[in-house]
Amino acid sequence: MKLLTLLLTATAASAFAPAAASPKFSTQSKTTTLLSSTTDEATEEEISSILRPSYAIEPIPLRIGHGFDIHKMVPFEEAGQPVVIGGVVIDHVDQKWTDKDGKYAENPGDIYETQLGVLAHSDGDVIYHSLVDAIFGALTLPDIGQVFQDTDPRWKGCDSAKFMEHAYDVMKYYGYRIGNIDVTLILERPKVAGFKPRMKENIVKLLHTTEGRVNIKARTHEKVDSVGELRSLSCHVVMTLEKVVGNDADL
């Protein structure tokens, strides 16, 4: 089920027309209802208004977006949630985590073997967050932190697939679809090669695209800085968006 109403009172004509001003909204126009049971109308309207800029989103044929995210990794008992990447829970054996502050090990900087979790306001999915930011960026819209603020209790522990659903709806509203996606996931451990096919499957499904348009790469950080010490993980995404025209409008 979709999470959010994209733009509550927008007409199809205003959404796709190459107008000089931003799309017009009429209370008499057709409404697209995508509310879930967990999102009230006030929340929906607030988020939608953030994504209605005062300037026109020009209908250029190709747009390029970049997204980046980073989160701390800590012992599971501190995070209170697992490592989730690309919508997949990363099961792993105990890892050799560097306890920089000496909170768990005998001395600061000692190695502490533990199950890891991601410290974040939502589920901390760095791939999904980077993808959402890349879509918003390609469309010259505010970043994910402005739309889903990490101080807002409504998003505490939220499944980031809901952010992806909303980003897809925004992209579709402005008349675009995925051109291609290139993901670079950066973490030292745990190893994720065996999880990448499921991550790709999730992205393809949520963004309504095809396997031939999505690529996921993963690399270590050569034991350098917080990523190399298993104290964080990060992700970069580069993507293109294609303008939907003519007979492709329903794809």
Side-chain angles (χ1 to χ4, degrees):
M1 180 181 292
K2 300 290 186 181
L3 172 64
L4 301 166
T5 302
L6 178 55
L7 293 167
L8 292 175
T9 57
T11 63
S14 64
F16 299 104
S22 58
K24 304 299 182 182
F25 303 94
S26 168
T27 56
Q28 302 302 315
S29 60
K30 182 178 178 181
T31 298
T32 304
T33 303
L34 300 171
L35 280 172
S36 77
S37 60
T38 60
T39 306
D40 59 43
E41 290 188 10
T43 298
E44 177 60 28
E45 187 166 12
E46 174 191 340
I47 294 171
S48 295
S49 67
I50 295 171
L51 298 170
R52 299 176 187 173
S54 60
Y55 51 85
I57 305 297
E58 300 176 18
I60 58 178
L62 185 70
R63 289 179 172 270
I64 300 172
H66 173 260
F68 172 76
D69 195 33
I70 185 169
H71 282 293
K72 289 182 179 180
M73 285 199 300
V74 297
F76 178 82
E77 58 263 38
E78 180 177 346
Q81 60 184 7
V83 178
V84 178
I85 307 174
V88 180
V89 175
I90 308 300
D91 296 321
H92 57 277
V93 299
D94 286 359
Q95 299 292 311
K96 296 181 178 180
W97 178 77
T98 301
D99 186 4
K100 183 180 179 181
D101 300 320
K103 186 174 181 179
Y104 299 94
E106 184 175 351
N107 302 301
D110 283 355
I111 298 299
Y112 178 68
E113 294 196 16
T114 180
Q115 286 285 301
L116 295 173
V118 173
L119 195 63
H121 187 64
S122 64
D123 63 5
D125 192 322
V126 292
I127 287 185
Y128 281 3
H129 294 180
S130 297
L131 285 163
V132 171
D133 235 11
I135 291 172
F136 289 169
L139 293 168
T140 70
L141 296 172
D143 61 68
I144 186 174
Q146 292 176 262
V147 181
F148 303 104
Q149 297 181 19
D150 63 7
T151 56
D152 191 328
R154 291 174 296 184
W155 314 123
K156 179 65 176 176
C158 184
D159 180 349
S160 295
K162 296 176 181 178
F163 304 155
M164 288 275 281
E165 290 173 351
H166 182 64
Y168 170 77
D169 290 336
V170 171
M171 175 180 67
K172 184 177 180 182
Y173 171 79
Y174 283 110
Y176 285 87
R177 66 182 178 190
I178 295 297
N180 74 296
I181 293 170
D182 190 23
V183 175
T184 302
L185 176 65
I186 309 170
L187 77 167
E188 198 71 26
R189 292 287 190 279
K191 293 295 187 181
V192 297
F195 298 100
K196 286 164 63 177
R198 288 168 57 196
M199 296 177 190
K200 183 171 183 174
E201 180 181 346
N202 289 341
I203 294 169
V204 167
K205 181 179 179 180
L206 286 168
L207 297 182
H208 301 261
T209 187
T210 60
E211 292 184 354
R213 292 174 180 250
V214 178
N215 186 50
I216 301 176
K217 309 186 302 292
R219 57 157 298 154
T220 71
H221 214 237
E222 302 294 340
K223 300 184 179 180
V224 175
D225 66 33
S226 64
V227 176
E229 294 176 346
L230 281 68
R231 294 187 292 109
S232 66
L233 74 166
S234 63
C235 180
H236 289 270
V237 165
V238 177
M239 72 164 58
T240 59
L241 302 183
E242 301 173 342
K243 192 73 176 77
V244 179
V245 294
N247 295 331
D248 292 337
D250 294 328
L251 294 180

